[in-house]
Every structure is written in structure tokens, then in C-alpha cells.
């Protein structure tokens, strides 16, 4: 499909996943094919080194905070951070064989059952403030390290609280915080039409709660063509197993031959390398240039676009956001790729939350967008109704 914005829908546009079909306006971010995502007008490349709290502020207030606003906002998040009830018992009852994304979705749903104010913004911000603890508990309980989890210290920042709950031994905590901080900032929002955001807003349009909408959005994010591509990508990298360019090329060709996707490449909207990938390559070159997996993704970045470009059907052969994130997470101690999409989900709670608040309370002069209800034709009707 072309990447143009459609002004007229024709039969050719049906059953194409709504590519390019305009459906609304987004106040938090937009994505351009060449510069990628912009948060409230700022290209992501200018925001990569910010703190997550300041980007959450930006997405909700549409301007970057002053130092005073930033510390007030951190205080606000701190006041919301305490878990409203016994989340631990519920998490302990879940099957450890379940995917971490299913745990995340259930965890968010449970937080909603423990406390929902039914004020869109309150609930969205409460959830953002409670995510680090939920994430920490998911890791600890799934790994069977559920004894003596340190008490939550809500005075810490969002990333610190998660790292504090984990208590990973033998890791470089400062490096870990750097990677997670950048990861969160880069993944918080990506326009209005990505699958999980769209799904979350659609659910909220029926006036389901923020928690129910967000749990649904996380389910959408868990698919391997969307958020879970970061898991598949690192699994793919581990399978490649070499950074030798010729061997990597042979591997990529064999995967394509077997009709399997080359994870970490391609995008529905972007037509160049995703600047979020560029930012992660820059970080990797600084903190782990000799890491084996980072060397493999660096080779893939050179080789795969050339091979993919041989297929004219592929609209964008370049690296996407998922190419390097797994190698970085692996390097700082997260060696199990099945967890990677939970980091994406954690980050995206901010953007989806802000977009739900906008759609429910600001758009259409505060009335909000009505219930989502696009039109589907019966196949036999199609020709009669559409030129
Ligand atoms: N490897 C193999 N085939 C590909 C790839 C790829 N990386 N990218 C596109 N194609 C194929 C695609 O499957 C389609 O084939 P067919 O016509 O037989 O159905 C054809 O090329 C045209 O697809 P596009 O219009 O280029 O891309 P589309 O917008 O449909 O899909 C993705 C975008 C991201 C789903 C696709 O590029 C892909 O599957 N990439 C690999 C998975 C991945 O890295 N996903 C992460 C995306 C980021 N995220 O968070 O969502
Ligand atoms: C995202 O960040 O949501 C992905 O890049 C997918 C998209 O924008 O469609």
C-alpha cells in the first residue's frame, strides 16, 4: 500500500488494515515517513535523552515542563504511586507458563479492580505511577523470587523504583537505568493509528474504564507483528549467532525463502530507518560496542535492508524500533526475551493514556469522539456501494 493520506476511499482500500485511511486527530504525536515520531511537535531524536517523567508531562500537557513543573509533577506521581490493594496475591496465582504480556494485561486489569476513580485523567496518571511496581512484581514473582521483595519507595523515579524492586545481582545498575530510561522515552507514543493505541482508544470510546482499555491495548501490543516483534527480534538474533556479514546474509535469505519475516525491519508508515532505532544504535555503540548480540544487530542493519529491498513489495526495508532494543536489554541483564514486550507496554501506557484522555475529554470541544463504529460491507454489496 502507498503511504499517502487517502481523501477518497475506494474498493481497493477495503480489507487493507485501514492503511492511510484518516480517522481522527492526535494531540500527542504524529509520525512522518522520514523523521518518524514527533511528540507534541518535537522529533524523537531531540527527546531521546530526556527523563521519562518529563516526557509523560509533555504527552499530557503538550509542552515540556519547566524545572519547577517537573519537580511538582514528580511529586504528583509519587502521591499516586502506592498500590491500592493486594496485587501480589493475584499475580502469585497466575500460571508461570503464561506469557509476561498476559501477566501485564491481567495486572493492569487487577489494578483497575482494586481502584478506579472513573475520571479519565486521574486513572491514566494513577496507572502510570503504579506501573514500575507492577513491572517489578511481575519479574519477581514469575522468577520465583517472591520472598523479601523490598518495599516500594515511592520517592524514587519511575525507573529507579523498578530497578529497586528487581534486586538483580551482579549487574551494572547505572547502565541498566540508562537503557531502561531511553527505552521508555523512545517507546511512549507513536501516533494515533498504531494497533495497540487504536485498540485502546476504540475500547475507551465505549466508555470502558482506562484500565479495561489499557489491558485491551496491551493484548493488541502482544502480537508478533506489533509489540512482540522485539521478543522475536532478539530470538532471531540469537538464532543468527554470528556477526559475519556473509553468514548473516545467508541466514536472512534462508528466512525469507522459508516465508518467515525478518524481524526488526519494515514499517507500516516509516520509509527510512526508524530514528528510534538510530537512537538505540547510538546508545549501544556507547555502552556495549563489543557485545555479541549488538555486533549481530549492527551487521543485520547493514545487510538486511539490501536484501529486503530486492523485493519491491516491501515498502520499507530499513530497521525499525525493535532491531536493537533486545540486544541492549540482554546486555544489561534481561536475558529472557519473552519479557521484552512488557517494557514496550510499560512505556506505551503513557502515550495511550494521554490519547485516551484527549479523545474522551478534549476532542470535539470536550464532548469526546463517539463510539467507534466503522463500516463494513457485505462482500456482495461492495461493488454496488463503492466506486
Ligand atoms: N520481512 C519479510 N517480509 C516483509 C517484511 C519483513 N521485515 N516487511 C514487509 N514484508 C512483506 C509483508 O509481509 C507483505 O507481504 P505480503 O504482501 O505477502 O503480505 C509485503 O512485504 C508488504 O508489506 P509492507 O506494506 O511493506 O508492510 P506492512 O505495512 O504490511 O507491515 C510490518 C509492516 C511491520 C508488519 C512488516 O514490515 C513486518 O512484518 N516486519 C517484521 C516484523 C516487525 O519487525 N514488526 C515490528 C514493527 C514495529 N512495531 O512495533 O509494530
Ligand atoms: C509503534 O511504535 O507502535 C510501531 O512502530 C507500530 C506502528 O506505528 O504502527
Amino acid at each position: 500500500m502507498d503511504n499517502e493520506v487517502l481523501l477518497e476511499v475506494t474498493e481497493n482500500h477495503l480489507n487493507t488494515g485501514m492503511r492511510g485511511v484518516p480517522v481522527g486527530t492526535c494531540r500527542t504525536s504524529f509520525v512522518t515517513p522520514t523523521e518518524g515520531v514527533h511528540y507534541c511537535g518535537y522529533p524523537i531524536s531531540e527527546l531521546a535523552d530526556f527523563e521519562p517523567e518529563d516526557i509523560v508531562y509533555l504527552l499530557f500537557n503538550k509542552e515540556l515542563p519547566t524545572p519547577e513543573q517537573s519537580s511538582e509533577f514528580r511529586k504528583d506521581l509519587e502521591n499516586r504511586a502506592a498500590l491500592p490493594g493486594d496485587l501480589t496475591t493475584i499475580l502469585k496465582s497466575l500460571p508461570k507458563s503464561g506469557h509476561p504480556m498476559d501477566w501485564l494485561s491481567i495486572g493492569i486489569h487487577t489494578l483497575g479492580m482494586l481502584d478506579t476513580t472513573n475520571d479519565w485523567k486521574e486513572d491514566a496518571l494513577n496507572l502510570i505511577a503504579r506501573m514500575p511496581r507492577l513491572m517489578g512484581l511481575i519479574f519477581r514473582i514469575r522468577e520465583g523470587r517472591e520472598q523479601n521483595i523490598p518495599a516500594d519507595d515511592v520517592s524514587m523515579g519511575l525507573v529507579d523504583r523498578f530497578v529497586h524492586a528487581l534486586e538483580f545481582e551482579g549487574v551494572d545498575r547505572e547502565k541498566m537505568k540508562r537503557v531502561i530510561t531511553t527505552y521508555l522515552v523512545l517507546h511512549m507514543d507513536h501516533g494515533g493509528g498504531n494497533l495497540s493505541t487504536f485498540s485502546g482508544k476504540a475500547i475507551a470510546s465505549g466508555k470502558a474504564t482506562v484500565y479495561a482499555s489499557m489491558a485491551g491495548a496491551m493484548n493488541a501490543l502482544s502480537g508478533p507483528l506489533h509489540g512482540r516483534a522485539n521478543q522475536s527480534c532478539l530470538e532471531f538474533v540469537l538464532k543468527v549467532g554470528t556477526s559475519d556479514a556473509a553468514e548473516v546474509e545467508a541466514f536472512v535469505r534462508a528466512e525469507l525463502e522459508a516465508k518467515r519475516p525478518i524481524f526488526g525491519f519494515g514499517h507500516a508508515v516509516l520509509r527510512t530507518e526508524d530514528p528510534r532505532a538510530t537512537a538505540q544504535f547510538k546508545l549501544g555503540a556507547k555502552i556495549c560496542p563489543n557485545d555479541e548480540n549488538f555486533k549481530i544487530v549492527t551487521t543485520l542493519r547493514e545487510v538486511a535492508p539490501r536484501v529486503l529491498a530486492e523485493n519491491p513489495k516491501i515498502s520499507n526495508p530499513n530497521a525499525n524500533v525493535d532491531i536493537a532494543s533486545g540486544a541492549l536489554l540482554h546486555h544489561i541483564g534481561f536475558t529472557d526475551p519473552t519479557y521484552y514486550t512488557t517494557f514496550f507496554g510499560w512505556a506505551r501506557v503513557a502515550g495511550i493514556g494521554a490519547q485516551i484522555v484527549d479523545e474522551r475529554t478534549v476532542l470535539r470541544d470536550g464532548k469526546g469522539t463517539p463510539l467507534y463504529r466503522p463500516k463494513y460491507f457485505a462482500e456482495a454489496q461492495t461493488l454496488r456501494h463503492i466506486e
Side-chain angles (χ1 to χ4, degrees):
M1 279 295 300
D2 280 336
N3 202 26
E4 90 251 56
V5 173
L6 300 172
L7 297 174
E8 198 182 332
V9 179
T10 68
E11 188 184 350
N12 285 342
H13 300 116
L14 300 178
N15 302 325
T16 60
M18 292 183 278
R19 285 297 183 292
V21 177
V23 290
T25 55
C26 177
R27 301 178 71 236
T28 58
S29 65
F30 59 85
V31 183
T32 67
T34 51
E35 287 181 315
V37 69
H38 297 61
Y39 295 166
C40 302
Y42 295 94
I44 193 67
S45 52
E46 288 180 18
L47 299 173
D49 294 330
F50 277 67
E51 292 298 316
E53 288 84 351
D54 291 337
I55 302 301
V56 175
Y57 183 98
L58 172 67
L59 294 170
F60 277 77
N61 297 285
K62 322 308 178 207
E63 58 181 19
L64 283 166
T66 62
E68 293 73 39
Q69 286 166 332
S70 173
S71 63
E72 250 173 59
F73 186 58
R74 279 158 205 260
K75 201 87 214 134
D76 182 35
L77 289 176
E78 194 179 312
N79 292 334
R80 299 169 182 280
L83 293 190
D86 182 13
L87 179 63
T88 309
T89 304
I90 302 289
L91 292 180
K92 279 184 184 167
S93 73
L94 298 180
K96 292 207 172 64
S97 56
H99 193 277
M101 278 305 280
D102 295 337
W103 280 54
L104 186 68
S105 170
I106 287 169
I108 289 172
H109 240 316
T110 308
L111 284 174
M113 286 188 264
L114 294 171
D115 172 40
T116 298
T117 69
N118 284 315
D119 176 298
W120 296 104
K121 191 170 175 189
E122 284 297 303
D123 283 335
L125 290 173
N126 286 345
L127 177 56
I128 290 165
R130 293 166 191 171
M131 284 301 291
R133 189 64 179 174
L134 167 60
M135 285 287 293
L137 290 176
I138 289 176
F139 273 78
R140 292 288 305 232
I141 294 169
R142 284 180 59 85
E143 289 171 1
R145 295 190 298 121
E146 51 199 55
Q147 302 304 323
N148 307 320
I149 304 177
D152 198 7
D153 179 351
V154 295
S155 71
M156 292 177 164
L158 295 172
V159 173
D160 276 342
R161 272 173 61 217
F162 169 65
V163 172
H164 171 70
L166 281 188
E167 289 190 311
F168 270 7
E169 297 287 339
V171 298
D172 180 337
R173 286 200 186 189
E174 286 316 306
K175 234 188 214 185
M176 181 181 263
K177 285 189 222 164
R178 179 71 257 145
V179 168
I180 298 172
T181 295
T182 306
Y183 189 101
L184 291 183
V185 167
L186 294 178
H187 286 78
M188 277 189 182
D189 205 31
H190 209 245
N194 69 79
L195 179 65
S196 47
T197 305
F198 183 78
S199 308
K201 289 187 298 186
I203 297 170
S205 79
K207 308 261 168 92
T209 65
V210 163
Y211 293 92
S213 308
M214 199 65 77
M218 292 302 120
N219 295 336
L221 191 67
S222 72
L225 292 188
H226 189 19
R228 210 180 81 203
N230 62 5
Q231 168 186 334
S232 309
C233 191
L234 204 270
E235 287 164 350
F236 179 80
V237 167
L238 295 173
K239 246 168 66 185
V240 176
T242 167
S243 55
D244 175 82
E247 288 178 45
V248 170
E249 178 165 342
F251 189 90
V252 167
R253 290 189 185 281
E255 289 296 293
L256 289 172
E257 195 63 37
K259 305 266 173 273
R260 286 191 285 268
I262 306 305
F263 289 98
F265 294 88
H267 201 271
V269 178
L270 279 150
R271 294 297 172 259
T272 50
E273 177 172 287
D274 190 330
R276 298 173 297 176
T278 315
Q280 290 176 89
F281 275 116
K282 200 169 139 202
L283 180 60
K286 206 154 120 193
I287 66 164
C288 58
N290 296 319
D291 178 281
E292 263 324 300
N293 295 321
F294 187 69
K295 279 167 43 187
I296 296 171
V297 295
T298 304
T299 307
L300 272 168
R301 183 195 199 188
E302 302 302 321
V303 168
R306 183 166 42 78
V307 177
L308 291 169
E310 290 169 11
N311 178 353
K313 274 196 335 188
I314 298 181
S315 323
N316 177 14
N318 300 299
N320 65 41
V321 65
D322 294 321
I323 180 66
S325 62
L328 295 181
L329 289 172
H330 193 277
H331 179 76
I332 55 168
F334 297 102
T335 51
D336 179 353
T338 63
Y339 285 92
Y340 293 174
T341 314
T342 63
F343 288 101
F344 197 158
W346 174 13
R348 212 32 85 82
V349 161
I352 299 174
Q355 291 200 35
I356 288 176
V357 171
D358 287 342
E359 277 217 357
R360 303 281 29 101
T361 69
V362 180
L363 294 182
R364 296 175 90 226
D365 295 325
K367 256 175 74 184
T369 50
L371 182 73
Y372 277 34
R373 185 61 177 88
K375 176 151 186 77
Y376 280 72
F377 289 101
E379 278 216 71
Q381 283 182 313
T382 307
L383 288 174
R384 271 190 276 127
H385 287 268
I386 292 240
E387 306 212 325

